[in-house]
Amino acid sequence: MVLARHVDPDTLIESLHNHPSKAHKHHFETKSATSSVTPYSSRYAGQQEIPKFVIPQQGAPADAVHQMLKDELDLDGRPNLNLASFVGTYMEREAETLLVENLSKNMADADEYPAMMAMHSRCISIISHLWGVQKGETAIGSATTGSSEAIHLGGLAMKRRWQEKREKEGKDKSKPNIIMGSNAQVALEKFARYFEVEARILDVSEKSLYRLDPELVRKNIDENTIGVFVILGSTYTGHFEPVEQISDILDEFEKETGIDIPIHVDAASGGFIVPFTHAKAGGHKWNFQLPRVKSINASGHKFGLVYAGVGWIIWRDESYLPKHLIFELHYLGGTEETFTLNFSRPGAHILAQYYNLIHLGFEGYRNIMENCLSNARLLSKALEKTGWYICISDIHRKKGEHIYKGVEEVEYGGEEETSADYNAGLPVVAFRLSDEFQRDFSHVKQESISTLLRAKQYIIPNYPLPPACAHTEILRIVVRESMSLDLLDRLITDIIAVTEQLMKADPIDLAAFQPGTSMRVEKIHQSKGVDHRHKHLVERPTKEGVYRTVC
């Protein structure tokens, strides 16, 4: 969760009430706090603001509170137009009903909800098979609150196995390190910092396709390396990291030194894409088919198609989960084994995951993922066809081709083609203004495109690539299940219209528009952090390592 500071409500509210913009309002208490004719006849409609920082002395009617909160939440972006996020924003009515019916069930109460726990076990088994569990091995895993928790658990298991081995050999175990690319999502660096492991964050480059470079892996591993985090779907550009190639490097290293270094695959997004698409992982192995891959995580609330709140972590065999990390709980009359960072957590999302797996089946998931990739290819080609944009992502380029060759080379595909005809990756479109555009319209800042599209309710972030490539900024769109062809058509039209608007704008007028405005008062007082327009004021600049991408 985001850190937030305590707010002194007396000082803040007094300053707000005395502000000239508030002079037209009257603030006084009323005795009636429990009844109203309509939500807008309550005291919160015209007499008093909703309490923000301390609990009110008296309550308020449920309908009034609901309406006031609903009205304020109208200021939020529309989830379906939040094209920045990988997290799903659509579920079928039956799935939503199932969620609501089971919201009160706690996963910690295993003995009280045996049917729910049985469905949890079924999900583990189904996902294990999707990820290539091998004969003779007994996969084991758990639902989590998301991929962040799952990554921490996978990393912790690697650290403990490394410590146990070093202790058995009588060697120093005080300097563990872990390998990851600078394109890693913040959860990977959080693991290293929270669990006291040196994070060896390796630069990515255009040459490495903005993903973990196998050659740098070879140069940075040693006897203290507890494992390598390999990402199946970079949040920046959607590229899959070469799991099999890195596995081969670690095999060679073990032959030379006798040191066995495992891989954890962070498949937060790719874990529910690769098993179903025709492209797979581009013809390469990525899962438990590789003996060096010991654990995999994924987010059910991304391309598992569940609302936010569920992730999955699975180890290829029980032997790779150290016994002393497993807690045996005697709770409410029952006994269970658990390995999670949380105790109480909602069970409804696990049921929703099981619903999707059974309802959609393999073919249903395949159709959805192929549609997402097809629409992402169409968007990529449409953007490049304008000549104004170049895509950094490359799922729209024929398999094996990674370089933009010019507008004349952009060709729309046929109806019979599938993802197998193109580079494998996430349905992500990462793009930037072309060099020609920047030369001819140097007064146009790329961030302005994001800002103007926000005025049309699209949320499309503009941010720099990882540190070594931070001179390049990208706009990024995640094509989710709910991106229909109709919406895609409107999006392409609006991007073109906004770009043309900026091209025609007077440079002087545009210069006044493009600087950011000041932060709102609640952001200054309430949240420990800064607005994106004031990112130059942060305590830790992006060049110092991994930093958060929109995900």
Side-chain angles (χ1 to χ4, degrees), residues 137-156:
E137 294 184 323
T138 304
I140 188 171
S142 175
T144 61
T145 53
S147 276
S148 292
E149 180 188 4
I151 287 165
H152 286 207
L153 297 174
L156 185 56

Side-chain angles (χ1 to χ4, degrees), residues 121-135:
S121 297
R122 295 171 199 169
C123 286
I124 295 296
S125 180
I126 291 171
I127 296 170
S128 297
H129 283 95
L130 287 174
W131 293 349
V133 63
Q134 299 295 292
K135 292 287 187 182

Side-chain angles (χ1 to χ4, degrees), residues 36 38-42 44-45 50 60-75:
S36 61
T38 75
Y40 295 110
S41 68
S42 73
Y44 290 134
I50 292 177
D63 62 339
V65 175
H66 172 265
Q67 190 64 48
M68 295 303 109
L69 298 186
K70 181 177 181 295
D71 289 348
E72 184 172 350
L73 288 168
D74 283 343
L75 298 172

Side-chain angles (χ1 to χ4, degrees), residues 54 173 266 347 379 381 424 445 470 476 515 532:
V54 293
K173 56 178 183 177
D266 172 20
L379 174 58
K381 292 178 179 181
K445 293 183 180 179
R476 193 200 67 189
H532 77 281

Side-chain angles (χ1 to χ4, degrees), residues 290-476:
L290 294 172
R292 201 160 291 279
V293 174
K294 309 303 184 186
S295 51
I296 304 172
N297 71 271
S299 295
H301 57 229
K302 292 179 181 173
F303 290 95
L305 308 180
V306 180
Y307 289 144
V310 63
W312 301 95
I313 172 73
I314 294 176
W315 289 267
R316 65 180 305 128
D317 188 74
E318 293 175 316
S319 60
Y320 296 104
L321 180 55
K323 292 295 183 183
H324 70 278
L325 289 178
I326 300 173
F327 283 81
E328 187 177 86
L329 299 179
H330 301 275
Y331 182 64
L332 299 180
T335 301
E336 62 174 282
E337 290 186 339
T338 179
F339 177 42
T340 60
L341 299 181
N342 295 307
F343 186 61
S344 291
R345 62 188 192 277
H349 291 72
I350 293 162
L351 305 181
Q353 182 75 82
Y354 186 54
Y355 167 90
N356 276 348
L357 292 168
I358 300 305
H359 168 59
L360 294 174
F362 188 91
E363 288 300 324
Y365 266 99
R366 166 166 283 183
N367 291 338
I368 290 170
M369 301 310 157
E370 285 289 329
N371 284 343
C372 290
L373 288 167
S374 176
N375 288 344
R377 291 195 299 270
L378 178 58
L379 174 58
S380 301
K381 292 178 179 181
L383 290 170
E384 289 192 338
K385 199 69 174 176
T386 65
W388 304 333
Y389 295 102
I390 294 175
C391 290
I392 304 298
S393 53
D394 61 13
I395 56 168
H396 63 297
R397 298 194 178 102
K398 290 295 184 178
K399 188 174 180 179
E401 297 179 6
H402 302 285
I403 300 174
Y404 173 68
K405 297 180 180 178
V407 176
E408 62 281 355
E409 297 294 326
V410 178
E411 295 181 358
Y412 294 102
E415 293 184 1
E416 300 301 320
E417 67 181 15
T418 70
S419 61
D421 299 310
Y422 295 87
N423 292 318
L426 301 180
V428 165
V429 182
F431 58 106
R432 65 170 179 85
L433 291 171
S434 67
D435 296 337
E436 294 76 13
F437 184 98
Q438 293 181 66
R439 182 188 63 238
D440 297 339
F441 302 94
S442 57
H443 61 287
V444 176
K445 293 183 180 179
Q446 191 167 286
E447 186 175 2
S448 300
I449 295 163
S450 175
T451 301
L452 288 179
L453 286 170
R454 183 64 182 261
K456 293 177 178 289
Q457 301 188 67
Y458 302 107
I459 302 174
I460 300 174
N462 179 82
Y463 59 96
L465 286 169
C469 309
H471 57 280
T472 300
E473 291 190 347
I474 59 171
L475 294 153
R476 193 200 67 189

Side-chain angles (χ1 to χ4, degrees), residues 26-44:
H26 302 284
H27 300 277
F28 54 87
E29 293 288 340
T30 63
K31 293 183 179 180
S32 176
T34 57
S35 63
S36 61
V37 178
T38 75
Y40 295 110
S41 68
S42 73
R43 70 178 190 267
Y44 290 134

Side-chain angles (χ1 to χ4, degrees), residues 484-500:
S484 66
L485 273 176
D486 289 335
L487 179 57
L488 184 63
D489 177 68
R490 182 59 185 267
L491 173 63
I492 294 170
T493 301
D494 286 337
I495 291 175
I496 291 173
V498 162
T499 308
E500 289 179 333

Side-chain angles (χ1 to χ4, degrees), residues 53-115:
F53 307 115
V54 293
I55 190 170
Q57 191 63 36
Q58 295 179 325
D63 62 339
V65 175
H66 172 265
Q67 190 64 48
M68 295 303 109
L69 298 186
K70 181 177 181 295
D71 289 348
E72 184 172 350
L73 288 168
D74 283 343
L75 298 172
D76 279 343
R78 288 190 172 191
N80 195 41
L81 296 181
N82 179 7
L83 307 183
S85 179
F86 288 88
V87 177
T89 59
Y90 168 79
M91 291 194 74
E92 293 169 291
R93 184 178 303 172
E94 292 81 2
E96 290 182 336
T97 300
L98 188 66
L99 274 167
V100 172
E101 290 171 347
N102 291 277
L103 281 176
S104 60
K105 291 186 178 179
N106 184 355
M107 275 294 292
D109 299 342
D111 206 49
E112 282 65 36
Y113 304 121

